[in-house]
Amino acid sequence: MIDFTFQNPTRIHFGKTALSHLGEEVRRYGNRILLVYGGGSIKRIGLYDEVMALLKQENAQVWELGGIQPNPRLSPVRRGIELCRQNQVQLVLAVGGGSVIDTAKAIANGACYDGDVWDLFTGKGSNTEVLPLGTIVTIPAAGSEMSNSSVITREEDQCKCGRNTPLNFPAFSILNPEYTCSLPPYQTACGIVDIMAHMMERYFTQVENVELTDRMIEGALRTMLNNAPIVFEKPDDYDARAEIMWTGCLAHNTLLQTGRVGDWASHKMEHELSALYDIAHGAGLAIVFPAWMKYVLPRGGAKKLAQFARRVFEVPEAFGSEEAIAAEGIARLEAFYHSIGLTTTLHENSIGDQDFDRMAQRAVALAGGNLGFFLRLKAEDVKAIYQLAL
Ligand code: NZQ
Ligand code: ZN
């Protein structure tokens, strides 16, 4: 285990009564509020009206920034920053999924930074202050409700760039699994893949003696495998939705990264896909992650992949060698993705090899020359992984 400092300051209100805590949070941070939301799902499920009614009870003044798209773009971030500055906003409240929350995070930071907000993503600038951010989560997936990341795409050059900083931890997050019952199966599936990927990125580490976090991840992955089929069969099964939602939060709140170095190559390779082709992040991960596993297996990855196969997918010793057990684990992961309605190849998503050079070079450049830590990847390795995903 390597040395670490762990702190996650986000207060979580979880369950059917979670929204009843909104009033006390508004009283804590201030009632001049920027409300950020997506394309309309919160209105369809009645959550918008509920939130507005609670804010009214607090005599809140609310400015709205709706219409945030999946794979969120930079322009609404700039609009949100203007709204915060013009109106002395005291609290940014995100109601939605990772795209809405990441937009709100960028706004909360950008409003406290004099220069161009994109500087914060490229590392050209930095801020020390941030507006308080609250989230009300409607899709378990990105884990942004308790994470230190924000991922935004700049439209001009389709550059999808993440920024990790403790300033990104929300002050509070409200998670009621009931809100997730309205998710279409495709979004539910993409969320499940993303949650599992956040744990798998951390699982595949070269750091030895990390049994506690290994076993926590294995247990949480098995929780996902057990509960996923239930929500496809019965979308309003509260208990299964609750298991998935809480796992999604813990998957990415940095606890499971303690004492180890995560890989994150698959995420960075996926960000290139969703930047260029605007596919859902989880759908992209279902394509990239198995290809990454196949690439690392013969390059020193067999031992850890075999452990994953045995403990998460119960692959029996009868499969023989470490390599064969590892390969069966990858096959079972792909079969799981298929079972929840996702595809695992680029061509099934009408994506060819025309942009592989560009994507590989940018992914490696954004990572500073080497992508990933389990296996250090150069651009030619990344390109080969995209080839494996075709
Ligand atoms: O826009 P609306 O109408 O709200 O519809 C959304 C959207 O179309 C819909 N949806 C959300 N809740 C719903 C619902 N539909 C019906 N009922 C509900 N209860 O779902 C669609 C997807 O929403 P989005 O916010 O894009 O999903 P997700 O949470 O997967 O976020 C994806 C973004 O997060 C980034 C991804 O790269 C991507 O840009 N990530 C952010 C991370 C972070 N900040 O820590 C980490 C992740 O690895 C990821 O990179
Ligand atoms: Zn992710």
Side-chain angles (χ1 to χ4, degrees), residues 345-364:
T345 62
L346 289 169
H347 79 262
E348 287 167 292
N349 292 269
S350 311
I351 299 174
D353 61 3
Q354 63 278 9
D355 293 313
F356 282 2
D357 281 317
R358 181 182 167 195
M359 296 193 303
Q361 272 154 23
R362 191 161 61 183
V364 170

Side-chain angles (χ1 to χ4, degrees), residues 38-41 45 68 70-72 97-99 102 138-139 141-142 144 147 149-151 160 179 182-184 187 194 198 252 267 271 281:
S41 69
I45 65 176
I68 303 302
N71 296 320
S99 299
D102 285 3
T138 63
I139 170 170
S144 189
S147 86
S149 325
S150 162
V151 190
K160 187 169 185 177
Y179 304 148
S182 59
L183 281 167
Q187 294 297 348
D194 195 17
H198 294 157
H252 203 35
H267 259 71
H271 284 169
H281 173 59

Side-chain angles (χ1 to χ4, degrees), residues 230-277:
I230 302 174
V231 295
F232 289 100
E233 183 113 335
K234 221 172 141 244
D236 59 355
D237 188 305
Y238 179 85
D239 295 323
R241 291 284 188 190
E243 297 287 356
I244 291 172
M245 193 169 212
W246 187 221
T247 308
C249 193
L250 296 181
H252 203 35
N253 79 348
T254 69
L255 174 67
L256 299 177
Q257 183 121 359
T258 47
R260 53 203 293 147
V261 178
D263 182 67
W264 299 104
S266 299
H267 259 71
K268 302 284 165 51
M269 289 186 282
E270 191 299 308
H271 284 169
E272 292 305 315
L273 279 181
S274 46
L276 259 62
Y277 299 102

Side-chain angles (χ1 to χ4, degrees), residues 50-328:
E50 273 186 77
V51 169
M52 288 307 251
L54 286 167
L55 295 179
K56 201 170 166 202
Q57 282 175 22
E58 303 303 322
N59 294 317
Q61 271 189 280
V62 180
W63 291 269
E64 293 189 34
L65 183 68
I68 303 302
Q69 293 168 257
N71 296 320
R73 314 302 203 270
L74 188 57
S75 342
V77 172
R78 296 193 199 286
R79 280 207 302 284
I81 291 170
E82 276 314 301
L83 284 170
C84 288
R85 287 192 179 141
Q86 283 161 7
N87 303 296
Q88 293 87 47
V89 162
Q90 295 166 311
L91 171 67
V92 182
L93 184 60
V95 188
S99 299
V100 168
I101 299 173
D102 285 3
T103 301
K105 285 180 175 179
I107 293 169
N109 280 273
C112 300
Y113 173 67
D114 283 338
D116 178 7
V117 61
W118 191 247
D119 294 347
L120 302 178
F121 284 84
T122 59
K124 204 173 135 197
S126 65
N127 58 315
T128 50
E129 299 287 316
V130 64
L131 289 178
L133 167 72
T135 86
I136 302 174
V137 187
T138 63
I139 170 170
S144 189
E145 65 272 14
M146 209 178 177
S147 86
N148 60 359
S149 325
S150 162
V151 190
I152 299 291
T153 300
R154 181 166 69 170
E155 296 88 331
E156 296 99 275
D157 55 357
Q158 292 169 300
C159 181
K160 187 169 185 177
C161 195
R163 179 190 183 217
N164 288 5
T165 162
L167 295 167
N168 275 336
F169 286 118
F172 67 91
S173 285
I174 290 172
L175 284 75
N176 180 345
E178 289 172 327
Y179 304 148
T180 71
C181 295
S182 59
L183 281 167
Y186 179 73
Q187 294 297 348
T188 297
C190 289
I192 287 168
V193 172
D194 195 17
I195 291 168
M196 292 175 67
H198 294 157
M199 297 191 281
M200 283 151 42
E201 295 279 18
R202 293 173 163 107
Y203 191 78
F204 292 101
T205 182
Q206 296 294 354
V207 178
E208 303 274 354
N209 304 315
V210 284
E211 182 175 355
L212 174 67
T213 39
D214 264 8
R215 292 200 183 272
M216 286 166 86
I217 293 171
E218 289 154 3
L221 286 171
R222 291 185 58 124
T223 303
M224 294 300 292
L225 296 178
N226 291 342
N227 286 281
I230 302 174
V231 295
F232 289 100
E233 183 113 335
K234 221 172 141 244
D236 59 355
D237 188 305
Y238 179 85
D239 295 323
R241 291 284 188 190
E243 297 287 356
I244 291 172
M245 193 169 212
W246 187 221
T247 308
C249 193
L250 296 181
H252 203 35
N253 79 348
T254 69
L255 174 67
L256 299 177
Q257 183 121 359
T258 47
R260 53 203 293 147
V261 178
D263 182 67
W264 299 104
S266 299
H267 259 71
K268 302 284 165 51
M269 289 186 282
E270 191 299 308
H271 284 169
E272 292 305 315
L273 279 181
S274 46
L276 259 62
Y277 299 102
D278 206 12
I279 61 171
H281 173 59
L285 285 168
I287 298 167
V288 171
F289 225 122
W292 175 86
M293 288 176 160
K294 287 172 197 165
Y295 192 75
V296 301
L297 196 164
R299 294 173 177 79
K303 186 172 167 230
K304 194 84 195 206
L305 276 161
Q307 179 183 309
F308 171 81
R310 287 187 183 100
R311 295 190 187 170
V312 179
F313 283 101
E314 297 178 318
V315 175
E317 296 306 316
F319 273 86
S321 65
E322 291 288 89
E323 286 73 15
I325 291 171
E328 176 61 15

